[in-house]
Amino acid sequence: MNRLSLFIGLTAVFAMITSCSKPSSTKETFDYSSFPIITGEEILTDADILNPQDILAVKNGVLIHDYNDTCFLAYYSNLDVKTPQYIARKGQGPFEFINTRNCYYNPLTESLLLNDSQQKKAWTFKISSDKISLDSNTIVSTVDFMPIRGGEVTPLGSKFVTEGVFGNKLLALVDSDGTLLQTFGEYPGDTTGIRDKISFGLINQFRIIANPQGTRLVAAGAYSDWLAFYDMTGDNPKVINERFTFSPKAKTEKPNQYVTVLKSDDNDICNYKRLSATPNHVYLLYDGRTQAEIDEGVKKPKTILKLNWDGELVAGYRVNDRLFSISASEDDSTLYGLIKRNEEGAVVKYTLE
């Protein structure tokens, strides 16, 4: 056998091995129009909810990012409570925060993670009763993500995953003491300009969330139709299911060496706005409007995707409410949402089949 024949034979074998181990990948979009429309019931109608930004199902109640003069979060321990417990005091002292938009509750460990994107620190607290205490008696861990410039954070067992631009990777696995263990996650679209971390990160924004068991992770594009599921059980994170159709069209400008500004494109599509995790499923809130439609105030039904942790579609729903945040109950029976109604925020409960 000559060298050319040997090379061709080895190449064929390598291609066959590679194709057999390649994760499930598709460029097909979901058929959003086929999903049934569901309606919700407004709850906490007597509560004084002023400026809700995000919602998280915690035990038998909900935690709402509804900041007031002193605190960021309002906890309704059950749905009949009118006056919440206000937690996460504003400030830079012990157990005080500058921003707490990135929160995660794990029902299996009864722990609450609060990630302060300004201080780039994540605190984890034990929640053992209907009252949430953020103090030295309940603190489980404090992790500093400033050295690696991590962004959104999700817990993964005793470790953490954060998103950003780390060389040519977009995800980082961090140990419980803040040590960077490894980077992973390759963006399947246009990676031109990835060396400019700030610009690339602004254009290709995405969200992450892990399952409570700490065995799966999903990344979902904000303005790209990228959806990737990772198996986190081995020594190296592995893509097991990935969908991708397009990259964002937005650009960035630099008025000076210290400032980078994102310039949206009218044709960019707002994709995945929020993610919610339960032991068996992940829920994704999909918008589907173009940036031009958003700027013009166009109202369209929102879509909720329900997938298992292998990335397979289980169900889909559409809602006519102006839904902007969701969180599912641990048993997958209920979805809590924040909606805009008459320019004010309201909490709605959707009962799922």
Side-chain angles (χ1 to χ4, degrees):
M1 179 181 295
N2 59 37
R3 291 184 178 182
L4 178 59
S5 299
L6 178 61
F7 174 77
I8 293 174
L10 290 175
T11 302
V13 171
F14 176 77
M16 182 174 64
I17 294 173
T18 303
S19 63
C20 290
S21 60
K22 187 177 181 179
S24 175
S25 179
T26 179
K27 290 189 176 182
E28 296 179 0
T29 58
F30 295 107
D31 182 10
Y32 301 105
S33 63
S34 67
F35 300 147
I37 291 180
I38 59 174
T39 57
E41 170 193 0
E42 188 170 340
I43 59 174
L44 300 176
T45 54
D46 295 329
D48 191 14
I49 300 174
L50 302 176
N51 188 28
Q53 305 293 312
D54 212 348
I55 190 168
L56 183 66
V58 176
K59 291 185 175 292
N60 297 316
V62 291
L63 184 68
I64 301 177
H65 190 282
D66 185 27
Y67 56 84
N68 57 26
D69 291 338
T70 60
C71 297
F72 284 105
L73 304 172
Y75 178 48
Y76 297 84
S77 57
N78 63 70
L79 304 183
D80 296 321
V81 172
K82 296 180 181 179
T83 303
Q85 177 194 356
Y86 290 102
I87 63 173
R89 292 184 61 82
K90 297 179 182 179
Q92 299 185 55
F95 306 113
E96 293 182 339
F97 306 86
I98 302 175
N99 188 315
T100 58
R101 290 289 297 277
N102 180 199
C103 305
Y104 183 101
Y105 176 68
N106 189 324
L108 302 183
T109 60
E110 294 187 309
S111 58
L112 176 67
L113 176 140
L114 303 181
N115 177 47
D116 192 320
S117 60
Q118 295 294 108
Q119 300 186 64
K120 293 198 177 296
K121 287 185 179 180
W123 289 263
T124 303
F125 299 91
K126 185 71 174 179
I127 309 300
S128 56
S129 68
D130 288 338
K131 182 178 180 180
I132 297 178
S133 298
L134 309 182
D135 54 35
S136 58
N137 295 318
T138 60
I139 187 72
V140 175
S141 67
T142 303
V143 180
D144 186 1
F145 291 91
M146 185 66 77
I148 64 171
R149 309 298 296 180
E152 186 174 341
V153 173
T154 187
L156 189 85
S158 62
K159 302 180 179 65
F160 302 87
V161 174
T162 185
E163 51 83 19
V165 180
F166 312 101
N168 64 339
K169 309 293 185 182
L170 300 183
L171 295 161
L173 182 64
V174 179
D175 207 347
S176 57
D177 62 359
T179 302
L180 174 63
L181 298 176
Q182 64 184 126
T183 59
F184 65 100
E186 296 184 5
Y187 180 61
D190 183 8
T191 56
T192 302
I194 197 171
R195 292 184 179 276
D196 186 339
K197 296 182 178 182
I198 296 178
S199 291
F200 191 87
L202 283 173
I203 293 171
N204 298 283
Q205 299 174 46
F206 65 99
R207 312 179 193 286
I208 59 172
I209 201 165
N211 64 347
Q213 299 93 320
T215 59
R216 292 286 192 274
L217 176 81
V218 61
Y223 285 92
S224 67
D225 192 31
W226 178 41
L227 187 60
F229 284 78
Y230 295 86
D231 181 353
M232 304 297 293
T233 58
D235 294 333
N236 296 299
K238 181 177 66 174
V239 177
I240 56 174
N241 202 324
E242 188 172 52
R243 306 177 71 92
F244 177 78
T245 56
F246 55 82
S247 293
K249 299 178 176 64
K251 306 294 181 184
T252 57
E253 294 181 357
K254 293 180 179 293
N256 58 61
Q257 60 178 327
Y258 304 107
V259 178
T260 302
V261 179
L262 180 66
K263 293 293 183 180
S264 300
D265 188 286
D266 285 347
N267 296 313
D268 268 332
I269 298 175
C270 182
N271 282 271
Y272 303 108
K273 293 176 63 68
R274 291 290 190 276
L275 311 180
S276 177
T278 70
N280 294 318
H281 300 99
V282 60
Y283 297 80
L284 302 95
L285 176 59
Y286 175 83
D287 192 304
R289 292 176 296 170
T290 65
Q291 186 61 50
E293 290 174 328
I294 293 173
D295 293 341
E296 294 168 5
V298 174
K299 299 174 184 177
K300 289 184 176 181
K302 299 293 192 301
T303 301
I304 300 164
L305 299 173
K306 178 181 180 180
L307 297 94
N308 64 26
W309 285 102
D310 288 330
E312 300 164 338
L313 181 66
V314 175
Y317 313 94
R318 289 186 298 159
V319 297
N320 285 322
D321 296 319
R322 296 166 65 188
L323 186 64
F324 62 92
S325 181
I326 59 170
S327 186
S329 62
E330 177 186 359
D331 63 359
D332 296 290
S333 66
T334 306
L335 197 69
Y336 301 101
L338 292 179
I339 67 170
K340 283 287 186 181
R341 180 170 291 167
N342 299 324
E343 301 309 318
E344 294 183 354
V347 183
V348 174
K349 180 178 73 172
Y350 301 93
T351 300
L352 304 180
E353 295 180 359

